[in-house]
Short mmCIF file of all heavy atoms in Angstrom, two decimals:
data_model
loop_
_atom_site.label_atom_id
_atom_site.label_comp_id
_atom_site.label_asym_id
_atom_site.label_seq_id
_atom_site.Cartn_x
_atom_site.Cartn_y
_atom_site.Cartn_z
N MET A 1287 -17.54 -38.18 -2.54
CA MET A 1287 -16.52 -37.31 -1.98
C MET A 1287 -16.50 -36.00 -2.74
O MET A 1287 -16.47 -35.97 -3.96
CB MET A 1287 -15.16 -38.01 -2.09
CG MET A 1287 -14.03 -37.17 -1.64
SD MET A 1287 -12.52 -38.15 -1.76
CE MET A 1287 -11.43 -37.07 -1.01
N TYR A 1288 -16.52 -34.90 -2.00
CA TYR A 1288 -16.53 -33.55 -2.60
C TYR A 1288 -15.11 -33.00 -2.61
O TYR A 1288 -14.42 -33.03 -1.59
CB TYR A 1288 -17.44 -32.63 -1.81
CG TYR A 1288 -17.35 -31.17 -2.28
CD1 TYR A 1288 -17.96 -30.79 -3.45
CD2 TYR A 1288 -16.64 -30.25 -1.55
CE1 TYR A 1288 -17.88 -29.48 -3.89
CE2 TYR A 1288 -16.54 -28.94 -1.98
CZ TYR A 1288 -17.16 -28.56 -3.16
OH TYR A 1288 -17.09 -27.26 -3.58
N VAL A 1289 -14.68 -32.49 -3.77
CA VAL A 1289 -13.38 -31.85 -3.87
C VAL A 1289 -13.65 -30.38 -4.25
O VAL A 1289 -14.34 -30.11 -5.21
CB VAL A 1289 -12.50 -32.52 -4.95
CG1 VAL A 1289 -11.19 -31.79 -5.10
CG2 VAL A 1289 -12.29 -33.96 -4.60
N ALA A 1290 -13.12 -29.48 -3.45
CA ALA A 1290 -13.32 -28.06 -3.72
C ALA A 1290 -12.69 -27.68 -5.06
O ALA A 1290 -11.67 -28.27 -5.48
CB ALA A 1290 -12.66 -27.23 -2.62
N GLY A 1291 -13.32 -26.73 -5.74
CA GLY A 1291 -12.82 -26.25 -7.03
C GLY A 1291 -11.45 -25.64 -6.90
O GLY A 1291 -11.07 -25.13 -5.81
N HIS A 1292 -10.71 -25.65 -7.96
CA HIS A 1292 -9.34 -25.09 -7.94
C HIS A 1292 -9.44 -23.58 -7.98
O HIS A 1292 -10.09 -23.01 -8.81
CB HIS A 1292 -8.55 -25.60 -9.14
CG HIS A 1292 -7.18 -25.04 -9.24
ND1 HIS A 1292 -6.18 -25.35 -8.34
CD2 HIS A 1292 -6.62 -24.18 -10.14
CE1 HIS A 1292 -5.10 -24.68 -8.66
NE2 HIS A 1292 -5.34 -23.97 -9.74
N ARG A 1293 -8.75 -22.94 -7.06
CA ARG A 1293 -8.70 -21.49 -6.99
C ARG A 1293 -7.38 -21.04 -7.63
O ARG A 1293 -6.33 -21.54 -7.27
CB ARG A 1293 -8.76 -21.03 -5.56
CG ARG A 1293 -8.81 -19.53 -5.43
CD ARG A 1293 -8.76 -19.13 -4.01
NE ARG A 1293 -10.09 -19.02 -3.46
CZ ARG A 1293 -10.35 -18.62 -2.22
NH1 ARG A 1293 -9.35 -18.36 -1.42
NH2 ARG A 1293 -11.58 -18.51 -1.80
N PRO A 1294 -7.41 -20.10 -8.55
CA PRO A 1294 -6.18 -19.66 -9.20
C PRO A 1294 -5.18 -19.11 -8.16
O PRO A 1294 -5.56 -18.39 -7.26
CB PRO A 1294 -6.60 -18.53 -10.13
CG PRO A 1294 -8.10 -18.59 -10.21
CD PRO A 1294 -8.59 -19.40 -9.05
N ALA A 1295 -3.93 -19.47 -8.32
CA ALA A 1295 -2.89 -19.04 -7.39
C ALA A 1295 -2.43 -17.62 -7.63
O ALA A 1295 -1.66 -17.10 -6.86
CB ALA A 1295 -1.70 -20.00 -7.49
N THR A 1296 -2.88 -17.00 -8.71
CA THR A 1296 -2.42 -15.66 -9.05
C THR A 1296 -3.36 -14.56 -8.64
O THR A 1296 -3.23 -13.43 -9.08
CB THR A 1296 -2.16 -15.55 -10.56
OG1 THR A 1296 -3.40 -15.86 -11.24
CG2 THR A 1296 -1.07 -16.52 -11.01
N VAL A 1297 -4.33 -14.84 -7.80
CA VAL A 1297 -5.26 -13.82 -7.31
C VAL A 1297 -4.48 -12.82 -6.48
O VAL A 1297 -3.73 -13.20 -5.59
CB VAL A 1297 -6.40 -14.44 -6.48
CG1 VAL A 1297 -7.27 -13.36 -5.87
CG2 VAL A 1297 -7.22 -15.36 -7.34
N GLN A 1298 -4.63 -11.56 -6.80
CA GLN A 1298 -3.91 -10.51 -6.06
C GLN A 1298 -4.85 -9.43 -5.61
O GLN A 1298 -5.76 -9.04 -6.34
CB GLN A 1298 -2.82 -9.90 -6.94
CG GLN A 1298 -1.70 -10.83 -7.31
CD GLN A 1298 -0.65 -10.17 -8.14
OE1 GLN A 1298 -0.76 -9.00 -8.52
NE2 GLN A 1298 0.41 -10.90 -8.46
N ASP A 1299 -4.61 -8.94 -4.43
CA ASP A 1299 -5.34 -7.77 -3.90
C ASP A 1299 -4.44 -6.57 -4.15
O ASP A 1299 -3.46 -6.37 -3.41
CB ASP A 1299 -5.63 -8.00 -2.43
CG ASP A 1299 -6.47 -6.86 -1.85
OD1 ASP A 1299 -6.43 -5.74 -2.40
OD2 ASP A 1299 -7.09 -7.09 -0.80
N HIS A 1300 -4.75 -5.80 -5.16
CA HIS A 1300 -3.87 -4.70 -5.56
C HIS A 1300 -3.76 -3.62 -4.47
O HIS A 1300 -2.70 -3.02 -4.29
CB HIS A 1300 -4.34 -4.08 -6.88
CG HIS A 1300 -4.19 -5.05 -8.02
ND1 HIS A 1300 -2.98 -5.28 -8.62
CD2 HIS A 1300 -5.09 -5.87 -8.61
CE1 HIS A 1300 -3.16 -6.22 -9.55
NE2 HIS A 1300 -4.42 -6.56 -9.59
N VAL A 1301 -4.83 -3.38 -3.75
CA VAL A 1301 -4.79 -2.38 -2.67
C VAL A 1301 -3.85 -2.87 -1.58
O VAL A 1301 -3.00 -2.12 -1.07
CB VAL A 1301 -6.19 -2.10 -2.11
CG1 VAL A 1301 -6.12 -1.18 -0.90
CG2 VAL A 1301 -7.08 -1.49 -3.20
N ALA A 1302 -3.95 -4.15 -1.23
CA ALA A 1302 -3.06 -4.71 -0.21
C ALA A 1302 -1.60 -4.63 -0.67
O ALA A 1302 -0.70 -4.35 0.14
CB ALA A 1302 -3.42 -6.15 0.13
N LEU A 1303 -1.32 -4.87 -1.93
CA LEU A 1303 0.05 -4.80 -2.43
C LEU A 1303 0.59 -3.40 -2.33
O LEU A 1303 1.77 -3.20 -1.95
CB LEU A 1303 0.10 -5.32 -3.88
CG LEU A 1303 -0.18 -6.79 -4.07
CD1 LEU A 1303 -0.20 -7.15 -5.57
CD2 LEU A 1303 0.87 -7.66 -3.35
N VAL A 1304 -0.24 -2.41 -2.59
CA VAL A 1304 0.22 -1.00 -2.45
C VAL A 1304 0.50 -0.68 -0.98
O VAL A 1304 1.49 -0.06 -0.67
CB VAL A 1304 -0.87 -0.02 -3.06
CG1 VAL A 1304 -0.53 1.41 -2.71
CG2 VAL A 1304 -0.94 -0.21 -4.55
N GLU A 1305 -0.40 -1.14 -0.11
CA GLU A 1305 -0.20 -0.89 1.32
C GLU A 1305 1.10 -1.57 1.81
O GLU A 1305 1.82 -0.98 2.61
CB GLU A 1305 -1.40 -1.39 2.11
CG GLU A 1305 -2.64 -0.57 1.91
CD GLU A 1305 -3.85 -1.11 2.60
OE1 GLU A 1305 -3.80 -2.22 3.18
OE2 GLU A 1305 -4.88 -0.43 2.58
N ILE A 1306 1.37 -2.76 1.34
CA ILE A 1306 2.61 -3.47 1.74
C ILE A 1306 3.81 -2.68 1.23
O ILE A 1306 4.80 -2.49 1.97
CB ILE A 1306 2.61 -4.89 1.21
CG1 ILE A 1306 1.56 -5.74 1.95
CG2 ILE A 1306 3.99 -5.52 1.32
CD1 ILE A 1306 1.26 -7.06 1.29
N ASP A 1307 3.74 -2.18 0.01
CA ASP A 1307 4.84 -1.40 -0.53
C ASP A 1307 5.09 -0.12 0.27
O ASP A 1307 6.24 0.21 0.61
CB ASP A 1307 4.54 -1.04 -2.01
CG ASP A 1307 5.65 -0.27 -2.67
OD1 ASP A 1307 6.81 -0.74 -2.61
OD2 ASP A 1307 5.36 0.81 -3.24
N LEU A 1308 4.02 0.57 0.62
CA LEU A 1308 4.16 1.81 1.39
C LEU A 1308 4.70 1.54 2.80
O LEU A 1308 5.52 2.27 3.31
CB LEU A 1308 2.80 2.51 1.51
CG LEU A 1308 2.23 3.06 0.18
CD1 LEU A 1308 0.82 3.61 0.39
CD2 LEU A 1308 3.13 4.11 -0.43
N THR A 1309 4.27 0.44 3.39
CA THR A 1309 4.77 0.07 4.70
C THR A 1309 6.27 -0.23 4.63
O THR A 1309 7.03 0.20 5.51
CB THR A 1309 4.02 -1.17 5.24
OG1 THR A 1309 2.61 -0.85 5.33
CG2 THR A 1309 4.53 -1.58 6.60
N GLY A 1310 6.68 -0.90 3.59
CA GLY A 1310 8.12 -1.18 3.39
C GLY A 1310 8.92 0.09 3.27
O GLY A 1310 10.01 0.23 3.83
N GLU A 1311 8.36 1.06 2.49
CA GLU A 1311 9.09 2.33 2.35
C GLU A 1311 9.24 3.05 3.69
O GLU A 1311 10.26 3.63 3.98
CB GLU A 1311 8.34 3.19 1.32
CG GLU A 1311 8.44 2.67 -0.10
CD GLU A 1311 7.69 3.54 -1.10
OE1 GLU A 1311 7.53 4.73 -0.85
OE2 GLU A 1311 7.27 3.00 -2.11
N LEU A 1312 8.17 3.02 4.48
CA LEU A 1312 8.24 3.65 5.81
C LEU A 1312 9.26 2.94 6.70
O LEU A 1312 9.97 3.60 7.45
CB LEU A 1312 6.86 3.65 6.48
CG LEU A 1312 5.87 4.67 5.96
CD1 LEU A 1312 4.50 4.44 6.56
CD2 LEU A 1312 6.37 6.07 6.21
N MET A 1313 9.30 1.63 6.64
CA MET A 1313 10.26 0.87 7.46
C MET A 1313 11.69 1.18 7.08
O MET A 1313 12.56 1.38 7.95
CB MET A 1313 10.00 -0.65 7.35
CG MET A 1313 8.67 -1.04 7.95
SD MET A 1313 8.24 -2.77 7.67
CE MET A 1313 9.55 -3.61 8.52
N ILE A 1314 11.94 1.30 5.78
CA ILE A 1314 13.29 1.67 5.33
C ILE A 1314 13.66 3.07 5.79
O ILE A 1314 14.78 3.31 6.27
CB ILE A 1314 13.36 1.54 3.79
CG1 ILE A 1314 13.27 0.06 3.38
CG2 ILE A 1314 14.64 2.19 3.25
CD1 ILE A 1314 13.02 -0.16 1.89
N ALA A 1315 12.72 4.01 5.66
CA ALA A 1315 12.99 5.39 6.08
C ALA A 1315 13.23 5.45 7.59
O ALA A 1315 14.12 6.15 8.07
CB ALA A 1315 11.81 6.28 5.69
N ALA A 1316 12.43 4.69 8.35
CA ALA A 1316 12.60 4.69 9.82
C ALA A 1316 13.96 4.08 10.21
O ALA A 1316 14.62 4.58 11.13
CB ALA A 1316 11.47 3.92 10.47
N ALA A 1317 14.36 3.03 9.52
CA ALA A 1317 15.65 2.41 9.82
C ALA A 1317 16.84 3.33 9.52
O ALA A 1317 17.85 3.29 10.21
CB ALA A 1317 15.80 1.09 9.07
N ALA A 1318 16.68 4.16 8.50
CA ALA A 1318 17.76 5.05 8.09
C ALA A 1318 17.74 6.38 8.87
O ALA A 1318 18.72 7.13 8.81
CB ALA A 1318 17.63 5.34 6.61
N ALA A 1319 16.70 6.65 9.59
CA ALA A 1319 16.56 7.93 10.29
C ALA A 1319 17.45 7.98 11.53
O ALA A 1319 17.62 6.97 12.23
CB ALA A 1319 15.09 8.13 10.70
N SER A 1320 17.96 9.15 11.82
CA SER A 1320 18.80 9.33 13.02
C SER A 1320 17.96 9.61 14.27
O SER A 1320 18.38 9.36 15.37
CB SER A 1320 19.80 10.45 12.80
OG SER A 1320 19.12 11.65 12.53
N GLU A 1321 16.73 10.11 14.04
CA GLU A 1321 15.84 10.41 15.18
C GLU A 1321 15.06 9.15 15.58
O GLU A 1321 15.03 8.15 14.86
CB GLU A 1321 14.91 11.56 14.88
CG GLU A 1321 13.98 11.33 13.71
CD GLU A 1321 14.54 11.70 12.35
OE1 GLU A 1321 15.73 12.09 12.25
OE2 GLU A 1321 13.81 11.54 11.37
N ASP A 1322 14.39 9.22 16.76
CA ASP A 1322 13.64 8.09 17.25
C ASP A 1322 12.38 7.81 16.43
O ASP A 1322 11.99 6.66 16.27
CB ASP A 1322 13.21 8.29 18.72
CG ASP A 1322 14.39 8.18 19.67
OD1 ASP A 1322 15.39 7.56 19.28
OD2 ASP A 1322 14.26 8.69 20.77
N ARG A 1323 11.73 8.88 15.96
CA ARG A 1323 10.50 8.74 15.18
C ARG A 1323 10.55 9.60 13.94
O ARG A 1323 11.21 10.63 13.93
CB ARG A 1323 9.30 9.20 15.99
CG ARG A 1323 9.03 8.32 17.18
CD ARG A 1323 7.85 8.86 17.95
NE ARG A 1323 7.55 7.97 19.05
CZ ARG A 1323 6.32 7.61 19.40
NH1 ARG A 1323 5.31 8.08 18.75
NH2 ARG A 1323 6.17 6.80 20.41
N LEU A 1324 9.83 9.18 12.89
CA LEU A 1324 9.72 10.01 11.72
C LEU A 1324 8.70 11.10 12.00
O LEU A 1324 7.64 10.85 12.56
CB LEU A 1324 9.25 9.17 10.54
CG LEU A 1324 10.20 8.09 10.03
CD1 LEU A 1324 9.55 7.32 8.89
CD2 LEU A 1324 11.52 8.66 9.59
N SER A 1325 9.02 12.31 11.59
CA SER A 1325 8.07 13.42 11.74
C SER A 1325 6.93 13.24 10.73
O SER A 1325 7.12 12.56 9.70
CB SER A 1325 8.76 14.76 11.49
OG SER A 1325 9.10 14.87 10.11
N PRO A 1326 5.78 13.85 11.00
CA PRO A 1326 4.70 13.75 10.02
C PRO A 1326 5.09 14.27 8.64
O PRO A 1326 4.70 13.70 7.62
CB PRO A 1326 3.60 14.63 10.64
CG PRO A 1326 3.85 14.54 12.12
CD PRO A 1326 5.36 14.48 12.25
N ASP A 1327 5.93 15.31 8.61
CA ASP A 1327 6.41 15.83 7.33
C ASP A 1327 7.26 14.81 6.59
O ASP A 1327 7.17 14.67 5.38
CB ASP A 1327 7.17 17.15 7.52
CG ASP A 1327 6.27 18.30 7.92
OD1 ASP A 1327 5.07 18.23 7.62
OD2 ASP A 1327 6.78 19.26 8.49
N ARG A 1328 8.13 14.12 7.34
CA ARG A 1328 9.00 13.11 6.71
C ARG A 1328 8.13 11.93 6.22
O ARG A 1328 8.42 11.36 5.14
CB ARG A 1328 10.04 12.62 7.72
CG ARG A 1328 10.96 11.54 7.19
CD ARG A 1328 11.84 12.03 6.03
NE ARG A 1328 12.68 10.94 5.59
CZ ARG A 1328 12.81 10.58 4.31
NH1 ARG A 1328 12.21 11.25 3.35
NH2 ARG A 1328 13.57 9.56 3.98
N ILE A 1329 7.12 11.52 6.96
CA ILE A 1329 6.25 10.45 6.54
C ILE A 1329 5.54 10.85 5.24
O ILE A 1329 5.50 10.06 4.29
CB ILE A 1329 5.21 10.12 7.64
CG1 ILE A 1329 5.92 9.48 8.83
CG2 ILE A 1329 4.12 9.20 7.08
CD1 ILE A 1329 5.04 9.31 10.05
N ASP A 1330 5.04 12.08 5.16
CA ASP A 1330 4.40 12.58 3.94
C ASP A 1330 5.40 12.55 2.76
O ASP A 1330 5.04 12.17 1.63
CB ASP A 1330 3.86 13.97 4.13
CG ASP A 1330 2.62 14.02 5.01
OD1 ASP A 1330 2.03 12.94 5.25
OD2 ASP A 1330 2.25 15.10 5.45
N GLU A 1331 6.63 12.91 3.04
CA GLU A 1331 7.66 12.91 1.99
C GLU A 1331 7.93 11.51 1.51
O GLU A 1331 7.99 11.25 0.28
CB GLU A 1331 8.95 13.51 2.57
CG GLU A 1331 10.09 13.59 1.57
CD GLU A 1331 11.34 14.14 2.21
OE1 GLU A 1331 11.28 14.95 3.15
OE2 GLU A 1331 12.43 13.75 1.76
N VAL A 1332 8.06 10.55 2.42
CA VAL A 1332 8.31 9.15 2.04
C VAL A 1332 7.13 8.59 1.23
O VAL A 1332 7.32 7.89 0.25
CB VAL A 1332 8.57 8.28 3.30
CG1 VAL A 1332 8.60 6.79 2.95
CG2 VAL A 1332 9.88 8.67 3.96
N LEU A 1333 5.93 8.92 1.65
CA LEU A 1333 4.72 8.39 0.99
C LEU A 1333 4.34 9.21 -0.25
O LEU A 1333 3.39 8.88 -0.93
CB LEU A 1333 3.55 8.36 1.95
CG LEU A 1333 3.72 7.46 3.17
CD1 LEU A 1333 2.50 7.51 4.04
CD2 LEU A 1333 4.03 6.01 2.76
N GLU A 1334 5.10 10.31 -0.49
CA GLU A 1334 4.87 11.18 -1.65
C GLU A 1334 3.46 11.74 -1.64
O GLU A 1334 2.70 11.67 -2.62
CB GLU A 1334 5.13 10.44 -2.95
CG GLU A 1334 6.55 9.93 -3.07
CD GLU A 1334 6.78 9.10 -4.33
OE1 GLU A 1334 5.86 8.97 -5.13
OE2 GLU A 1334 7.90 8.58 -4.43
N VAL A 1335 3.07 12.33 -0.48
CA VAL A 1335 1.76 12.97 -0.34
C VAL A 1335 1.95 14.39 0.15
O VAL A 1335 3.00 14.75 0.63
CB VAL A 1335 0.84 12.20 0.62
CG1 VAL A 1335 0.51 10.81 0.09
CG2 VAL A 1335 1.42 12.11 2.00
N ASP A 1336 0.89 15.19 0.04
CA ASP A 1336 0.94 16.59 0.48
C ASP A 1336 -0.03 16.81 1.63
O ASP A 1336 -1.24 16.76 1.44
CB ASP A 1336 0.52 17.53 -0.68
CG ASP A 1336 1.48 17.46 -1.82
OD1 ASP A 1336 2.67 17.30 -1.59
OD2 ASP A 1336 0.98 17.55 -2.98
N GLY A 1337 0.46 16.99 2.83
CA GLY A 1337 -0.35 17.38 3.95
C GLY A 1337 -1.35 16.37 4.44
O GLY A 1337 -1.21 15.17 4.25
N GLU A 1338 -2.42 16.88 5.07
CA GLU A 1338 -3.37 16.04 5.82
C GLU A 1338 -4.17 15.13 4.92
O GLU A 1338 -4.26 13.93 5.15
CB GLU A 1338 -4.29 16.89 6.67
CG GLU A 1338 -3.58 17.45 7.90
CD GLU A 1338 -4.52 18.11 8.84
OE1 GLU A 1338 -5.71 17.74 8.83
OE2 GLU A 1338 -4.07 18.98 9.55
N ASP A 1339 -4.86 15.65 3.88
CA ASP A 1339 -5.64 14.75 3.02
C ASP A 1339 -4.75 14.07 2.02
O ASP A 1339 -5.08 13.02 1.53
CB ASP A 1339 -6.81 15.45 2.35
CG ASP A 1339 -6.37 16.49 1.35
OD1 ASP A 1339 -5.21 16.92 1.39
OD2 ASP A 1339 -7.24 16.90 0.54
N GLY A 1340 -3.62 14.63 1.76
CA GLY A 1340 -2.45 14.03 1.18
C GLY A 1340 -2.52 13.37 -0.16
O GLY A 1340 -1.50 12.96 -0.66
N GLY A 1341 -3.63 13.15 -0.78
CA GLY A 1341 -3.62 12.50 -2.07
C GLY A 1341 -3.19 11.03 -1.99
O GLY A 1341 -2.67 10.50 -2.94
N ARG A 1342 -3.38 10.42 -0.85
CA ARG A 1342 -2.96 9.02 -0.70
C ARG A 1342 -3.63 8.10 -1.71
O ARG A 1342 -3.06 7.14 -2.13
CB ARG A 1342 -3.24 8.54 0.72
CG ARG A 1342 -2.26 9.13 1.73
CD ARG A 1342 -2.61 8.71 3.14
NE ARG A 1342 -1.60 9.15 4.07
CZ ARG A 1342 -1.57 10.34 4.63
NH1 ARG A 1342 -2.52 11.21 4.38
NH2 ARG A 1342 -0.62 10.67 5.48
N ALA A 1343 -4.83 8.46 -2.11
CA ALA A 1343 -5.56 7.62 -3.05
C ALA A 1343 -4.89 7.57 -4.42
O ALA A 1343 -5.14 6.68 -5.19
CB ALA A 1343 -7.00 8.12 -3.21
N GLN A 1344 -4.00 8.50 -4.71
CA GLN A 1344 -3.32 8.50 -5.99
C GLN A 1344 -2.43 7.26 -6.17
O GLN A 1344 -2.20 6.84 -7.27
CB GLN A 1344 -2.48 9.75 -6.15
CG GLN A 1344 -3.29 11.02 -6.20
CD GLN A 1344 -2.44 12.25 -6.21
OE1 GLN A 1344 -1.23 12.19 -6.04
NE2 GLN A 1344 -3.06 13.42 -6.42
N ARG A 1345 -1.95 6.68 -5.09
CA ARG A 1345 -1.06 5.54 -5.18
C ARG A 1345 -1.83 4.21 -5.30
O ARG A 1345 -1.27 3.20 -5.59
CB ARG A 1345 -0.16 5.46 -3.93
CG ARG A 1345 0.67 6.69 -3.70
CD ARG A 1345 2.07 6.68 -4.14
NE ARG A 1345 2.79 5.48 -4.06
CZ ARG A 1345 3.95 5.32 -3.44
NH1 ARG A 1345 4.42 6.26 -2.73
NH2 ARG A 1345 4.60 4.18 -3.52
N VAL A 1346 -3.15 4.25 -5.02
CA VAL A 1346 -3.96 3.05 -5.10
C VAL A 1346 -4.50 2.94 -6.51
O VAL A 1346 -4.98 3.91 -7.07
CB VAL A 1346 -5.15 3.11 -4.10
CG1 VAL A 1346 -6.07 1.92 -4.23
CG2 VAL A 1346 -4.62 3.25 -2.68
N PRO A 1347 -4.39 1.74 -7.15
CA PRO A 1347 -4.89 1.61 -8.53
C PRO A 1347 -6.36 1.94 -8.60
O PRO A 1347 -7.13 1.64 -7.71
CB PRO A 1347 -4.66 0.12 -8.82
CG PRO A 1347 -3.75 -0.39 -7.79
CD PRO A 1347 -3.87 0.52 -6.61
N PRO A 1348 -6.77 2.60 -9.71
CA PRO A 1348 -8.19 2.91 -9.84
C PRO A 1348 -9.02 1.65 -9.96
O PRO A 1348 -8.56 0.66 -10.50
CB PRO A 1348 -8.24 3.74 -11.13
CG PRO A 1348 -7.00 3.39 -11.88
CD PRO A 1348 -5.98 3.00 -10.84
N PRO A 1349 -10.27 1.69 -9.46
CA PRO A 1349 -11.09 0.49 -9.53
C PRO A 1349 -11.44 0.14 -10.97
O PRO A 1349 -11.61 1.03 -11.81
CB PRO A 1349 -12.32 0.84 -8.71
CG PRO A 1349 -12.26 2.26 -8.42
CD PRO A 1349 -10.88 2.77 -8.75
N GLY A 1350 -11.57 -1.13 -11.23
CA GLY A 1350 -12.01 -1.60 -12.54
C GLY A 1350 -13.53 -1.77 -12.52
O GLY A 1350 -14.20 -1.16 -11.72
N PRO A 1351 -14.06 -2.66 -13.34
CA PRO A 1351 -15.48 -2.89 -13.38
C PRO A 1351 -16.00 -3.35 -12.02
O PRO A 1351 -15.32 -4.04 -11.26
CB PRO A 1351 -15.66 -4.03 -14.39
CG PRO A 1351 -14.39 -4.02 -15.19
CD PRO A 1351 -13.33 -3.45 -14.30
N ALA A 1352 -17.21 -2.94 -11.68
CA ALA A 1352 -17.88 -3.30 -10.42
C ALA A 1352 -17.10 -2.85 -9.20
O ALA A 1352 -17.17 -3.42 -8.14
CB ALA A 1352 -18.12 -4.80 -10.37
N GLY A 1353 -16.29 -1.75 -9.34
CA GLY A 1353 -15.59 -1.19 -8.22
C GLY A 1353 -14.40 -2.01 -7.74
O GLY A 1353 -13.85 -1.72 -6.70
N ARG A 1354 -13.99 -2.98 -8.51
CA ARG A 1354 -12.84 -3.80 -8.08
C ARG A 1354 -11.59 -3.32 -8.82
O ARG A 1354 -11.67 -2.89 -9.96
CB ARG A 1354 -13.09 -5.26 -8.43
CG ARG A 1354 -14.18 -5.87 -7.59
CD ARG A 1354 -14.30 -7.34 -7.79
NE ARG A 1354 -14.13 -7.70 -9.19
CZ ARG A 1354 -14.84 -8.63 -9.81
NH1 ARG A 1354 -15.76 -9.27 -9.16
NH2 ARG A 1354 -14.62 -8.92 -11.06
N PRO A 1355 -10.43 -3.44 -8.19
CA PRO A 1355 -9.18 -3.07 -8.86
C PRO A 1355 -8.94 -3.98 -10.05
O PRO A 1355 -9.40 -5.12 -10.05
CB PRO A 1355 -8.11 -3.29 -7.79
CG PRO A 1355 -8.82 -3.38 -6.51
CD PRO A 1355 -10.20 -3.83 -6.80
N PRO A 1356 -8.23 -3.47 -11.08
CA PRO A 1356 -7.95 -4.31 -12.22
C PRO A 1356 -7.09 -5.50 -11.84
O PRO A 1356 -6.29 -5.43 -10.93
CB PRO A 1356 -7.23 -3.35 -13.19
CG PRO A 1356 -6.75 -2.24 -12.36
CD PRO A 1356 -7.65 -2.14 -11.18
N GLY A 1357 -7.21 -6.55 -12.61
CA GLY A 1357 -6.32 -7.67 -12.33
C GLY A 1357 -6.99 -8.91 -12.50
O GLY A 1357 -7.10 -9.96 -12.49
#
């Protein structure tokens, strides 16, 4: 009988966690907004970015060894 090896329960995808956090911030801003949709400027403000290329990568943890996020 083969039993699969134990996989640590603390494995985290840091990029996914950042994306989840940003999505939550957008949902909170949208719920609090009086208009039907958030403007692109308001979205940039919520995500703390500047304009089109926006520096979005600044919120993602830098990659560790072998191009993987630390953790």
Side-chain angles (χ1 to χ4, degrees):
M1287 176 178 187
Y1288 173 76
V1289 177
H1292 177 68
R1293 184 185 269 183
T1296 59
V1297 174
Q1298 294 182 355
D1299 182 337
H1300 294 282
V1301 174
L1303 293 174
V1304 170
E1305 290 176 354
I1306 291 167
D1307 182 53
L1308 294 174
T1309 301
E1311 290 179 27
L1312 285 173
M1313 292 173 65
I1314 291 167
S1320 59
E1321 61 273 3
D1322 288 339
R1323 294 179 177 223
L1324 296 177
S1325 69
D1327 289 338
R1328 178 66 180 130
I1329 291 171
D1330 288 346
E1331 181 182 331
V1332 170
L1333 298 180
E1334 299 175 4
V1335 296
D1336 297 324
E1338 287 188 27
D1339 66 343
R1342 286 177 174 86
Q1344 294 174 353
R1345 304 260 326 236
V1346 176
R1354 293 189 318 221

